[in-house]
Amino acid sequence: MTTDIKDFRQLDYDIDSIYIKRWSPRSFQEKEVPENVLMNIFEAARWAPSAMNIQPWRFIVARTKEDREKFHSFIMDGNRKWCEKAPVLTLIISDKQDYTHAFDTGAAWGYLSLQAAKEGLITHGMGGFYKDKAREVLNIPEEYDIQALVAIGYQGEKAALPEELQAREKPSDRRPVQESIMEGTFI
């Protein structure tokens, strides 16, 4: 699928193009991700900053048909419609030993998604899954918080999606940067 990002996203300031290149498509090719390419994106996540270098993030990865089917058992129907073609599903969890675990794990997810874009992959993070069921199915101990589920793979054609999702299959823009910044105090 060829998408000209400039048709959808406009920069307020000059940044590296990788930041606007990365978006969250839902259409995946049923094409395996080579081991070295997949490990490159987890290597990038490894280098994310974390408080006291605790590195609280963990990734439970499903690459085989059997493992992906286990993941499908806890994904809500709206997401399952499109993510069943993704060759890799990853549940991101964090060790709750430090109060910044969620913040730090979010940084690791950001690094992972940017490296994936650099590798020619797409990622789509999801909150639409049943955390309790994921904990049960994957035997996740209580000292770990479940953060998000991510589909990883190569971008497929928009036409391969269910019709109700095709119109949404485009990069989104962002509010102007100045709307996110407050100086000195909250408004």
Side-chain angles (χ1 to χ4, degrees), residues 8 11 47-48 50-51 84 113 125 130 133 136 162 167-168 181 187:
F8 298 96
L11 293 175
W47 292 99
S50 66
E84 285 187 346
S113 68
Y130 302 100
K133 180 132 188 210
E136 177 187 322
R168 295 171 52 193
I181 299 171
I187 304 180

Side-chain angles (χ1 to χ4, degrees), residues 139-160:
N139 301 312
I140 300 168
E142 285 298 323
E143 61 266 20
Y144 287 87
D145 208 2
I146 298 172
Q147 300 297 334
L149 178 63
V150 179
I152 303 168
Y154 294 98
Q155 188 171 359
E157 294 297 323
K158 179 165 61 170

Side-chain angles (χ1 to χ4, degrees), residues 3 10 22-23 29 33 48 57 84 86 101 117 144 162 166 177:
T3 302
Q10 301 299 312
R22 192 227 58 83
W23 63 289
Q29 294 179 33
V33 177
W57 51 82
E84 285 187 346
H101 68 94
Y144 287 87
Q166 290 180 22
V177 71

Side-chain angles (χ1 to χ4, degrees), residues 15-29:
I15 60 172
D16 192 287
S17 65
I18 195 69
Y19 296 101
I20 61 166
K21 178 182 176 189
R22 192 227 58 83
W23 63 289
S24 301
R26 290 176 182 83
S27 184
F28 286 85
Q29 294 179 33

Side-chain angles (χ1 to χ4, degrees), residues 41-57:
I41 70 171
F42 289 111
E43 178 71 12
R46 176 182 155 206
W47 292 99
S50 66
M52 298 181 291
N53 197 29
I54 289 176
Q55 303 166 49
W57 51 82

Side-chain angles (χ1 to χ4, degrees), residues 28-29 31-33 62-63 68 85-89 152-154:
F28 286 85
Q29 294 179 33
K31 175 182 172 185
E32 188 174 325
V33 177
R63 292 188 280 177
R68 286 192 308 268
K85 287 187 177 181
V88 180
L89 295 171
I152 303 168
Y154 294 98

Side-chain angles (χ1 to χ4, degrees), residues 122-139:
I122 61 170
T123 56
H124 191 109
M126 296 172 262
F129 65 98
Y130 302 100
K131 289 184 176 185
D132 289 342
K133 180 132 188 210
R135 184 177 300 283
E136 177 187 322
V137 168
L138 302 177
N139 301 312

Side-chain angles (χ1 to χ4, degrees), residues 41 44-46 48-49 57 59 92 103-113:
I41 70 171
R46 176 182 155 206
W57 51 82
F59 305 98
I92 302 175
F103 180 77
D104 295 344
T105 301
W109 149 242
Y111 278 38
L112 181 152
S113 68

